[in-house]
Amino acid sequence: MRDKPVVAIALLAIVVAVAVGYAVGRKSAPASSAVSEPVAAAQKPTAPASATEARPASNQIDAIRRGVPIAEEASPPVMAHVENTDIKRVRAYPMQPPTIPHSIDNYQIDKNSNRCLLCHARANADRFQAPPVSVTHYMDRDEQILATISPRRYFCTQCHVTQTDAKPLVANNFKDIDTVMSEQPVQKAN
Ligand code: HEC
Ligand code: HEC
């Protein structure tokens, strides 16, 4: 009977040890699975190596998956670099939204602020030497000209994209109107 406290303390120690062990085990479990996940993910991109055999026939248009079978994970192409040259590119047709000749990193466009308009609003054009948005950007859908930018034209990047060095995904034989018109007299003469 004199050993009763000793037994109680021993039992308590065992219970505490088990509880601590359980807690530690639980904590370390997600950590170890978190480590193993990226390993599994890192192994994935090797899969498309076999995809090279599965290239589509030349008459097949598969620009987005680039011939990688639907069940396989495609390794994404290298991201294109934004060209920050300040040089305008020719527009392919009159109503094309011009491409943006400068980088737009961190230019915020949301409900409260529109960074693009800081420079491109009519009121600020002289200060920043940026071309002001054209009158179409002030027109509502009934072609009424508003005093401020039209909600239809508020989110600039919906239509305007930065210039990049990206290669075309598919070939294109589009001719702009100037090219078509310069070909006309030749056709008429025939
Ligand atoms: C710091 C001022 C500034 C800001 C902010 C800015 N721009 Fe510009 N933008 C310019 C200037 C200046 C030009 C004239 C060309 C050049 O110098 O890069 C220009 C040119 C352009 C052009 C070419 C116009 C044409 O006729 O070819 C487009 C399109 C354009 N910007 C869109 C945008 C969009 C969209 C945003 C927001 C994501 C934006 N800009 C933010 C200053 C600015
Ligand atoms: C719905 C599509 C659309 C949206 C949104 C839009 N634009 Fe445009 N933008 C165009 C088109 C199309 C043109 C060329 C024809 C024209 O001027 O309307 C253009 C032309 C321009 C030009 C050249 C103007 C000129 O006179 O050469 C600038 C600069 C420009 N946009 C800036 C902006 C900015 C800044 C925003 C955001 C506040 C914006 N755009 C939003 C379609 C859009």
Side-chain angles (χ1 to χ4, degrees):
M1 289 305 264
R2 273 196 308 141
D3 292 340
K4 209 178 174 184
V6 176
V7 171
I9 286 168
L11 276 174
L12 197 66
I14 289 167
V15 167
V16 166
V18 167
V20 167
Y22 180 67
V24 169
R26 263 171 63 114
K27 254 194 193 162
S28 64
S32 67
S33 74
V35 167
S36 64
E37 264 168 36
V39 170
Q43 280 164 354
K44 265 188 191 164
T46 57
S50 65
T52 41
E53 298 111 74
R55 285 246 168 261
S58 56
N59 60 352
Q60 202 184 331
I61 298 171
D62 185 9
I64 291 178
R65 291 199 62 81
R66 290 175 303 280
V68 177
I70 203 93
E72 282 180 38
E73 188 79 27
S75 50
V78 181
M79 278 176 72
H81 294 284
V82 171
E83 289 176 349
N84 193 16
T85 58
D86 291 345
I87 294 174
K88 292 179 187 180
R89 287 191 187 169
V90 70
R91 297 188 206 179
Y93 53 93
M95 285 304 282
Q96 182 200 321
T99 51
I100 307 170
H102 54 73
S103 68
I104 58 166
D105 295 348
N106 304 324
Y107 285 179
Q108 193 172 342
I109 313 175
D110 61 24
K111 184 166 72 69
N112 303 318
S113 122
N114 185 320
R115 183 70 181 193
C116 313
L117 285 176
L118 172 72
C119 300
H120 286 283
R122 266 183 320 160
N124 301 339
D126 59 342
R127 206 151 33 107
F128 294 98
Q129 291 298 300
V133 296
S134 59
V135 70
T136 53
H137 294 58
Y138 291 88
M139 287 179 355
D140 68 10
R141 63 180 179 179
D142 300 318
E143 306 210 339
Q144 292 288 316
I145 296 167
L146 311 173
T148 54
I149 201 92
S150 167
R152 303 195 296 166
R153 296 279 172 119
Y154 185 82
F155 293 102
C156 320
T157 46
Q158 189 184 323
C159 303
H160 295 279
V161 294
T162 46
Q163 301 175 355
T164 70
D165 61 1
K167 299 268 172 294
L169 290 173
V170 289
N172 183 358
N173 56 9
F174 175 83
K175 289 178 191 166
D176 71 1
I177 188 67
D178 295 328
T179 314
V180 173
M181 286 198 313
S182 68
E183 284 170 1
Q184 286 291 325
V186 180
Q187 280 171 5
K188 269 180 195 157
N190 288 344

